[in-house]
Each structure stands twice: as structure tokens, then as C-alpha cells.
Amino acid sequence: MTELILRLQEGDTETTISVARDVFTIGRLPECDLYLPFGGVSRNHARLVKTADGEWIIEDLGSKNGTQVNDRLVTEPQKLHQEDVIWLGNVSLVVMFSTEITQVQTHNYVPAVETNAPRTIFRNVEQLQQQWIEADSANGKSSNKDKVIARLIDLVDIAKNLCAATSIEDIFSQVQQVVFRYLNSIDRLALLIDVDGSGHLELMNSAMRNISQQQHLAADGSWISRSICQKVFDEKVAIQTADTQKDERFSGENSILVKGIRSAMAVPLWDENKVVGVLYADAHLSSSHWASEGEEELSFFSALANLVASSVQRWLLVEKLKTEVVIRHRLERYHSPAVVQQLISVGGLPGGRLAPAESEISILFADLVGFTAISERLTPTAIAQLLNNLFEEMLQEVFACGGTLDKYIGDCIMAFFGAPEPQPGHADRAVTAAKGMLTRLQHLNANNFWQEPLQLRIAINSGKAVVGDVGSSQRVDYTALGATINLAARMEAVCPPGECVISEVTYTMLSQYSDFYEMGDYSFKGINRLVKVYQTKMH
């Protein structure tokens, strides 16, 4: 029976592949029968089909760069002949027919080089999970079986230790011990993680086999081949190259040449369907023994990475929960519980900060009337007790209307409505909160909240403002800035005790106007126009 054989030629590498299926796909996707992760090759590039009479035809699957047989572009199904050359990008496949039994390559096998040529292996990581065990067991040699048992014991032990690891340092320490014990061909090891889920790999830890040279390992990870790691992460493939300097696949990678990397191995950390990072190792010397043992070591490295991924995923979850607790405590000082939950659920705090942004808001200032005279009669401790109790009561009205506490300025409460989440009815919310504060204070006075009745002056203005975290690396305040805030602060001076005043802008935004009457036009310091002010009475 005639057998179709393809001889892959890519750069200096050459490998023979037996086509063991009647329909055989070729492309850059790991799911293809022949997986070619090379430049110019499309995800689903071409297909070989065996006809009923035993002949073979080739079809292009709509590839970007097209498929050629010899010097002819394949535009329709084309019959293949002995020694035809199929071109896919820069990769060529020589067609050979044989009636003899030939070694069959495994499904999704990515050709590697012969033992006397530079060798690079690309593998779909999902097919590597048990391969290192099956390959040795099938060999039947007792020494190999002993090695399998030893490795299984080690993996069980490391799985137990990883479950107990509480930090990323503990996780890496466990990995480092096993890797340097079994993979004698590598010099350096690194763990890179996509911490924030953005696709950016961050170096978490690294080590050298020679501990005395550990200080020479650059902490910024500049010695790592980022191109290899990113490919492993993005495409969920395992890569092992025995000599990058001689492999044309890496001829354009300046970082590899400059850093002197000769052999490298990288596998993705994937937990179920999610890739969370990359386990990377390399050496300055080429690893000639990988020509015979590379497949086994890459499989072992991948199996180990799968265990590490589960621990890393758990660590990421714990860190996320810790961050959320810190953020929640901080936000609860400023926002109502509903707003806090919304901010956390939508991931509104990259880096734990709310970036300053322009918003349409209503700003509220509530000032305690006669505070200076009151404070002269009280001790500092009594003053603090008064303000704490008063602020606790007034803030409930702000939060009940979905408002945000900006800050306390002495005896004054500064709050706003309409940010960080947009609130179309922010003016109504601010006025409702103001009425609630004045009504609540009346009830508190009736129940002898303090040794004498207290009164508030409240001023509200609406308009554009910049809202967000402002400050230095040592101290950050969540605040609102702009002319809208300045006017509200000035308006407080014309507010009668126990009342609330609002600007004309706020007045026009209200859904109901009946509770307000016009006080008149006022001139305020720093504002070169007259401002119409409205007042509402609370009794």
C-alpha cells in the first residue's frame, strides 16, 4: 500500500513525517495534524486528501500567503506527484511516496531536527501532560520505570508542598529544588506571572544553579528571552531549543543573540483553560543531549508547570482578595456601601487608585454654625467627640442618597454626588441629602444630642469638576477639584443658619422647584460674575 511521506525543510532543519490519515491538515493551530508555528503559515493553511483511488491531492484553505506546489499557486484541488515541493510561507515539504513501512510521527507532532543539526521542539502543551510517563513506561526498561516512579513520587511531594505554600517565594522554592535536581542541562530558572490578567508577564522570582553566582542574575529579568515566553503564553505551546544561535527560527531575535542564550525551554502555566504565566529555563551552552532526551525533559517540565499553575492561581486569588479588602476599607470611608460594591465588581481601581477624570457633579458643603465660639468653651477631647458624633449622623444622609464623602474640613463636611459613577439625578440627590441632614439635626436637638442646640449651613452647586485620587506616592486623597467646588464653598457664607442654599445651575437641574425661592444675585470673591442663589426653608 502506497504511503505518503513529507520531508519538512525549514531553515537548516529537516524531518520526515508519515501521513497516517486520509484527511491531513497543516497550519499554525496546535489542533492541525501537522503543527507549523512558523512565519508565513496561516492558522489553517492547507489540507491533504486521499482520494478513493489512492491518489493524494492538496487544497489551500484560504491561507493569507497562499500554497504553492513547485512554482504553481494552488487555486483548486491539485494532484501530488513524487518529489513535488509544497511551499507554505518559508516552509517547504517534499512529497515522497513509499510502499515500505516507515516510522509514523504522532498526531500534532512538530518536526524537530536530526541529531547532527540544531534541534527545536514546539508542542501543544495539553498533549504533554502525561507523555513523559507514557513514553518511559512504553520503553519497558526497568531503569526507565524506576525513573518514572521516582519522578511520580517527586511530583506527588511537590504537589503536597505547593498546597501548603503561602507565598510566591515558597512556590518558586519548591519548583527550583525539583528542576535543578533533574534537569542538569539548565543554568537559570524563572517564574513569570500575568498578575493583573492584562497579558503582561511579570518576573516574580528567578534562580541560578550556581548559588554563588546568584548575585549576577539581573533582577529586572533582562536576561530572559521575552519573545520565547510571550509566544509560549499567547499560543499555549511548550518550546525547547537546543541551540538558538544556529536555528534560523531565532535569527531575527536580537535579544537572544545579545544575551548569549544558547539553549532554552519554556512552558505555560495553565490551570484548566486559563494561562496564568510561564516557567522558563535556559543555559549559555547548547544542549546536545536534547537531541535524544529533549522530548522527555520538556514533557516533565510541562507536567511540573501544570502543578505550579494551580498553586499560582490560588495565590493570585488570595492576593486579589487581600487587595479587595484593603480597597473596600479605604472606599468605605468615602462612599456608600452600594457604590463600594459597584466599584469593586467592575474593577474600577487599577493599582488601587481612581484616576482623576472630569465628571458632572453636585457639590455639598455643610458647616456647623458658631463652631469657633463652641470650641472656645470645650476641651480638645470634647470638640473631637462632638464632631465625631455629628459627622457620624450626617454622613448617613449622604450615603443614603448615594453620595461620596470628599473630606472633613474642620467642622465642615464636603461631599459630592455624580461620581465616581455617573448619577443623572445628582442635583436632586444632593438636595435630598441636605434636607435629610437638617431634619435629622432637628430631631437630634429635640433629644438633647448636645448640651445646646446645633445648626448647619449647607450650600450646593452643580457643574463640571475633576474627581479622583490626587496626591503623592506617600499620601493620596480622593477629592473633587475645580471652579464648581470653589463657588459652593463661597455660597456657604450667605446661607442663613439652619438653611440650605443652592446655585441657579443646581436649581435648573432639579425635578421639583416648589421648595425654593430666589434670594437674589450675589458677588463672590474670585468669581467675576453675579450668581443667582436660591434658598429653601426646613420648617
Side-chain angles (χ1 to χ4, degrees), residues 170-449:
D170 292 340
I171 293 173
F172 183 77
S173 176
Q174 298 297 328
V175 176
Q176 176 184 343
Q177 294 177 35
V178 173
V179 169
F180 285 147
R181 184 187 311 156
Y182 280 111
L183 304 182
N184 297 320
S185 55
I186 66 172
D187 298 327
R188 303 179 294 195
L189 179 69
L191 176 64
L192 300 95
I193 297 177
D194 178 17
V195 177
D196 57 6
S198 65
H200 172 71
L201 291 172
E202 181 179 343
L203 176 62
M204 303 305 296
N205 218 321
S206 60
M208 292 193 69
R209 177 181 298 278
N210 189 339
I211 299 178
S212 63
Q213 296 181 1
Q214 182 73 26
Q215 67 272 18
H216 300 304
L217 197 61
D220 61 357
S222 56
W223 53 276
I224 297 171
S225 171
R226 289 283 176 172
S227 57
I228 289 179
C229 289
Q230 201 62 49
K231 185 177 184 67
V232 164
F233 179 83
D234 293 338
E235 301 181 19
K236 202 166 79 171
V237 295
I239 296 179
Q240 181 190 70
T241 176
D243 198 332
T244 59
Q245 310 294 317
K246 295 182 179 179
D247 196 320
E248 288 190 358
R249 270 175 287 250
F250 304 105
S251 59
E253 300 291 349
N254 184 63
S255 61
I256 290 178
L257 301 178
V258 171
K259 297 169 186 175
I261 300 172
R262 295 299 295 269
S263 58
M265 182 162 55
V267 294
L269 305 177
W270 67 285
D271 187 15
E272 296 180 351
N273 295 320
K274 183 178 181 181
V275 180
V276 296
V278 171
L279 194 58
Y280 172 87
D282 67 16
H284 287 95
L285 299 177
S286 60
S287 296
S288 58
H289 83 284
W290 277 356
S292 59
E293 299 179 15
E295 186 83 16
E296 178 186 346
E297 293 196 354
L298 184 60
S299 299
F300 175 67
F301 203 49
S302 181
L304 177 63
N306 194 35
L307 294 177
V308 176
S310 297
S311 295
V312 169
Q313 185 79 307
R314 187 178 65 254
W315 174 79
L316 287 172
L317 179 59
V318 170
E319 290 301 304
K320 180 181 178 182
L321 292 175
K322 288 181 181 177
T323 301
E324 284 191 1
V325 168
V326 172
I327 291 173
R328 182 180 292 276
H329 286 333
R330 177 169 175 262
L331 289 179
E332 284 175 345
R333 296 165 52 198
Y334 305 106
H335 309 293
S336 66
V339 174
V340 171
Q341 185 56 44
Q342 185 176 13
L343 285 171
I344 291 177
S345 64
V346 300
L349 285 169
R353 290 195 177 192
L354 282 166
E358 187 175 87
S359 302
E360 181 79 29
I361 69 169
S362 289
I363 185 79
L364 177 153
F365 283 88
D367 191 32
L368 183 60
V369 177
F371 176 71
T372 301
I374 293 174
S375 61
E376 288 179 353
R377 301 194 302 269
L378 301 175
T379 65
T381 301
I383 294 172
Q385 182 181 356
L386 167 61
L387 293 179
N388 285 338
N389 294 339
L390 180 64
F391 290 159
E392 182 71 26
E393 294 286 342
M394 297 303 104
L395 200 58
Q396 292 185 44
E397 298 295 334
V398 173
F399 284 173
C401 296
T404 294
L405 172 66
D406 187 307
K407 62 174 68 71
Y408 299 116
I409 309 172
D411 62 313
C412 177
I413 297 173
M414 176 180 171
F416 54 82
F417 302 78
E421 293 298 310
Q423 294 171 322
H426 54 80
D428 283 319
R429 289 174 179 268
V431 169
T432 300
K435 291 180 178 179
M437 293 167 75
L438 294 174
T439 300
R440 180 181 285 258
L441 186 55
Q442 287 178 358
H443 292 164
L444 292 173
N445 286 333
N447 289 283
N448 299 316
F449 172 74

Side-chain angles (χ1 to χ4, degrees), residues 51-71:
T51 63
D53 56 4
E55 294 184 330
W56 285 89
I57 61 172
I58 185 169
E59 301 172 342
D60 184 78
L61 298 178
S63 63
K64 181 178 180 180
N65 297 316
T67 303
Q68 285 186 317
V69 175
N70 301 322
D71 57 351

